[in-house]
Amino acid sequence: MEQYDIKSMTLEELKALMRELGDKPFRAAQLYSWMHERLCSSYDEMTNLPKSLRERLKREYPLTVLEAAQVQTSRLDGTQKYLFCLEDGNVVESVLMRYKHGNSVCISSQVGCKMGCRFCASTLDGWTRNLSPSEMLDQIYRIQALTGERVSNVVVMGTGEPLDNYDSLLRFIHILTGEGGLHISQRNLTVSTCGLVPKMYELAKEKLQITLALSLHAPTDKKRRELMPIANRYSLDELMAACRHYFQETGRRITFEYSLVAGVNDREEEVQELISLIGDMHAHVNLIPVNPIRERDFKKSTRQAVENFKIKLEKCGINVTIRREMGSDIDGACGQLRKRFISKGDRFHSKGQICGKLTDKE
Ligand code: SAH
């Protein structure tokens, strides 16, 4: 598939394609810029390419363009949730968060997810398929094009496990952060994983400057296994060894994500266990008060429990942030917009049936 997915091709591959089509190699740079810098959604806009080439590309190399089927905007902070329609009728969710320091977009890496974390809505209907690099890129491209606002930060923290879609993820990173495209700094890109240990070792070899976030959520194997099935495959010992290795290889500090669930992982016992686990790692911990989902009865920790957790970690020299809730009026946990949408039976049977009708449900 990749071979024909022109928006997932690197500049080098495009040059080879132009040669193959009997065209001039410099056309590749023009085409690349139209797709990845100017964020065009059709070949017709690429006015400096000869018409014959455009027609041929249109026929043989259709452009991946996601269509926004639904947009919700928060009245509180301008956060927007997008439901994007893919060519095959599947839908994915992306979020635009507007911060003082710039716009951040959270993208999905798969349609659904097979990791099965107990508190996560994205996994409830299982996994359908991986997203291609172009489908990951286009979530960012369409949001930037639709809002006319520059996206400066990207987090791969939406639906899906990015390291379970490893080759596409790497290609996505190179196109997003490389020259000739949006050229977003690798330091402004965060990839979040539930901890696929062998893939973490592979990623370390790439020596990228991205931030790797590890979804830890529990300080012991026993507790982690209650929350995350992946913990049955890799122990905390193996996971922590992979984190240390990642830091040694890349010099990039890992962010540990810890979603706090009332009475489950937010007590004194867990904070002390967490300190023993990561206390010597110059770690950064991002605390996320769990976002309850209808299908499970996990409860959000109290403000006091969250603060207490933070203070205790900080006393041991651990750097802690509490994830600010964005767009709480349009919320529902990650993946819930998509879930509500598909459970209504609003699947897209053919392109354009519902897509393109931008509804801003406030
Ligand atoms: N599969 C990847 C990325 C997607 S989830 C991963 O596991 O990291 C992004 C983050 O949101 C993860 O830390 C995940 O555990 C967390 N998360 C998912 N559902 C949540 C919820 N309902 N409340 C709080 N955090 C949640």
Side-chain angles (χ1 to χ4, degrees), residues 30-31 61 67 97 121 123 128 160 194 208-209 223 240 278 288 309 330 335 358:
Q30 292 177 323
L31 184 54
Y61 301 88
E67 297 198 49
M97 290 157 288
T123 207
T128 305
C194 64
L208 300 172
Q209 286 301 294
K223 183 112 293 177
M240 289 302 134
I278 60 168
I288 317 168
F309 220 83
I330 53 165
L358 220 67

Side-chain angles (χ1 to χ4, degrees), residues 30 39 75 78 93 103 110 117 119 133 159 181 190 200 210 227-228 240 281 286 303 323 334 337 340 343 359:
Q30 292 177 323
L39 317 184
R75 289 207 186 90
E93 202 176 305
N103 285 351
Q110 297 179 316
C117 299
F119 45 80
T159 299
T190 298
M200 290 169 70
I210 62 168
L227 297 172
M228 307 173 72
M240 289 302 134
M281 280 180 77
N286 192 21
R303 261 226 83 72
R323 187 189 286 176
C334 318
L337 176 60
R340 214 175 318 128
S343 62
T359 50

Side-chain angles (χ1 to χ4, degrees), residues 119-121 156-158 160-162 192-194 215 217 257 259 288-291 293 323 333-334:
F119 45 80
C120 180
V156 188
M157 282 193 187
E161 168 49 49
S192 178
T193 178
C194 64
S215 297
H217 304 322
E257 287 166 282
S259 296
I288 317 168
V290 84
N291 208 334
I293 57 174
R323 187 189 286 176
C334 318

Side-chain angles (χ1 to χ4, degrees), residues 254-314:
I254 300 225
T255 295
F256 292 101
E257 287 166 282
Y258 196 102
S259 296
L260 288 157
V261 187
V264 174
N265 65 358
D266 70 341
R267 299 162 303 181
E268 183 63 24
E269 195 181 326
E270 284 88 23
V271 80
Q272 293 310 331
E273 286 163 342
L274 184 58
I275 290 166
S276 345
L277 186 71
I278 60 168
D280 66 339
M281 280 180 77
H282 303 291
H284 168 222
V285 174
N286 192 21
L287 296 174
I288 317 168
V290 84
N291 208 334
I293 57 174
R294 230 172 295 128
E295 294 77 1
R296 304 266 188 270
D297 61 357
F298 289 126
K299 296 200 173 48
K300 192 179 276 201
S301 299
T302 61
R303 261 226 83 72
Q304 203 184 352
V306 177
E307 277 302 324
N308 180 48
F309 220 83
K310 177 170 188 273
I311 290 165
K312 296 262 164 69
L313 292 174
E314 281 176 340

Side-chain angles (χ1 to χ4, degrees), residues 122-133:
S122 298
T123 207
L124 290 170
D125 292 319
W127 176 87
T128 305
R129 70 169 174 88
N130 282 333
L131 292 186
S132 62

Side-chain angles (χ1 to χ4, degrees), residues 240-255:
M240 289 302 134
C243 289
R244 288 193 164 85
H245 176 82
Y246 190 88
F247 174 68
Q248 273 161 14
E249 289 296 299
T250 62
R252 299 287 293 160
R253 199 174 62 163
I254 300 225
T255 295

